[in-house]
């Protein structure tokens, strides 16, 4: 489907069509050899003049052919200003969907460019080409446009099409925003906000790197989302399908791979064992410090603390599931480790004994920075 091309304009009529006529002065006598020479020169000039005319005609044909078939960025065919706005709008949207149906993302972007004032970043053309391959555009039907030409001409063009296995009915807006007589597509892309929950994970969309928290411009098609960070995967591998302009995408969430969960548990267990080995009144892993004296007057002896965990607590560590945080997904969070059995050497009035700490000493919730190769553990 293409816009009708106006018939080429002929030469302007009226005015003198040839050179002015005058009577030349009488020629002097010419020798026979000079006559032959002049005849040859005249012949050459005559042939050169014909060649020049042919070259000029070819050049004009080429120029007219280019003017009749070239497309402008977002403005349809050159010469579209000679068409009524309704015809321009229909041809522009039809040409755009012809390009989509042909898998020609480059031409589609020329007809419907991603402008800077849209507030969204374009993807490389290869990413759009992959989208049209993943979810082809078929069954396109362009309806009758509705044009408001009360001021700057603008309007809407209804379109029905199928993307992948989904049938879409939508409306594309056209606007002669610069008042040059040529309609252009405006806002003809889906603006998708890349979620912050995928930040720092090497996120790609159809192989193109994108930045979490920033909007991107998408044309109809299918988009595969992938992660490049070690230990991480997505909750779904299904491609994002873009159809309607106002499509609200359901982005997959980041999860730890099984290898990532194993690495997390290993880091937590190592940190727990290091905390259990501490004999001081204060220890790590978010455990409450042992008080220096008890309520009944016993004094705790520094560097005599023994801490142990039960088999159930160890099993909790060995099976703990980590969850990426919503605002910093590489910083994953586990669950509470549980109770710690704590005993301390203590004295009172010259007596020595072994005191046990009640209602305290339990470990907190571990957090591991999976982006750090050392897998450091912090506690809350």
């Amino acid at each position: 489907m293409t816009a009708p091309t106006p018939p080429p304009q002929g030469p302007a009529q009226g005015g003198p069509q040839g050179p002015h006529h005058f009577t030349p002065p009488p020629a002097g006598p010419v020798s026979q050899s000079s006559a032959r020479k002049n005849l040859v020169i005249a012949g050459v000039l005559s042939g050169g003049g014909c060649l020049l005319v042919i070259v000029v005609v070819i050049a004009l044909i080429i120029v007219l052919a280019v003017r009749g078939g070239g497309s402008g960025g977002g403005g349809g065919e050159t010469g579209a200003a000679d068409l009524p706005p309704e015809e321009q709008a229909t041809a522009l949207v039809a040409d755009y969907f012809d390009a989509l149906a042909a898998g020609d993302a480059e031409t589609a972007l020329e007809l419907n460019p991603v402008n800077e004032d849209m507030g969204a970043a374009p993807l490389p053309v290869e990413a759009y080409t992959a989208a049209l391959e993943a979810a082809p555009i078929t069954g396109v039907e362009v309806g009758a446009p509705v044009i408001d030409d009360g001021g700057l001409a603008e309007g809407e063009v209804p379109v029905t099409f199928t993307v992948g296995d989904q049938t879409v009915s939508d409306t594309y807006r056209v606007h002669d925003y610069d008042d040059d007589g040529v309609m252009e597509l405006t806002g003809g892309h889906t603006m998708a906000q890349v979620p912050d929950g995928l930040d720092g994970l090497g996120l790609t969309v159809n192989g193109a790197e994108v930045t979490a928290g920033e909007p991107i411009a998408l044309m109809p098609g299918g988009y595969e989302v992938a992660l490049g960070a070690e230990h991480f995967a997505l909750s779904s591998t299904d491609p994002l399908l873009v159809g309607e302009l106002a499509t609200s995408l359901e982005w997959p969430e980041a999860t730890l791979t099984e290898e990532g969960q194993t690495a997390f548990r290993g880091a937590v267990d190592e940190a727990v064992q290091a905390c259990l080995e501490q004999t001081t009144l204060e220890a790590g892993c978010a455990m409450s410090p042992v008080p220096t004296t008890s309520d009944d007057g016993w004094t705790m002896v520094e560097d005599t603390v023994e801490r142990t965990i039960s088999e159930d607590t160890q099993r909790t560590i060995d099976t703990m599931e980590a969850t990426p945080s919503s605002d910093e997904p590489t910083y994953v969070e586990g669950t509470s480790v549980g109770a710690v059995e704590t005993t301390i050497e203590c004295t009172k009035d010259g007596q020595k004994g072994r005191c046990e700490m009640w209602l305290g000493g339990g470990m907190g919730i571990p957090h591991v920075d999976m982006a750090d190769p050392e897998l450091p553990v912090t506690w809350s």
Side-chain angles (χ1 to χ4, degrees), residues 190-242:
T190 295
M191 302 294 111
Q193 185 82 17
V194 182
D196 290 327
L198 299 175
D199 187 29
L201 298 178
L203 178 65
T204 60
V205 175
N206 277 359
E209 293 185 6
V210 296
T211 302
E214 294 186 2
I216 55 176
L218 304 177
M219 64 174 58
Y223 295 85
E224 179 182 348
V225 182
L227 301 178
E230 186 181 10
H231 302 314
F232 288 89
L234 291 168
S235 58
S236 172
T237 57
D238 295 336
L240 301 177
L241 191 64
V242 175

Side-chain angles (χ1 to χ4, degrees), residues 266-278 280-289 307-309 313 317 320 335-340 342 360-368 376-380:
V268 172
D269 185 62
E270 183 177 344
V272 167
Q273 298 308 320
C275 289
L276 294 177
E277 291 174 1
Q278 297 180 35
T280 54
L281 297 181
E282 291 191 12
C285 298
M287 290 187 290
S288 299
R307 297 176 173 90
T308 59
I309 58 175
T313 301
I317 298 171
M320 188 179 295
T335 57
S336 177
V337 171
V340 177
T342 307
M363 294 186 183
I365 297 174
H367 304 260
V368 178
V377 182
T378 55
W379 299 82
S380 63

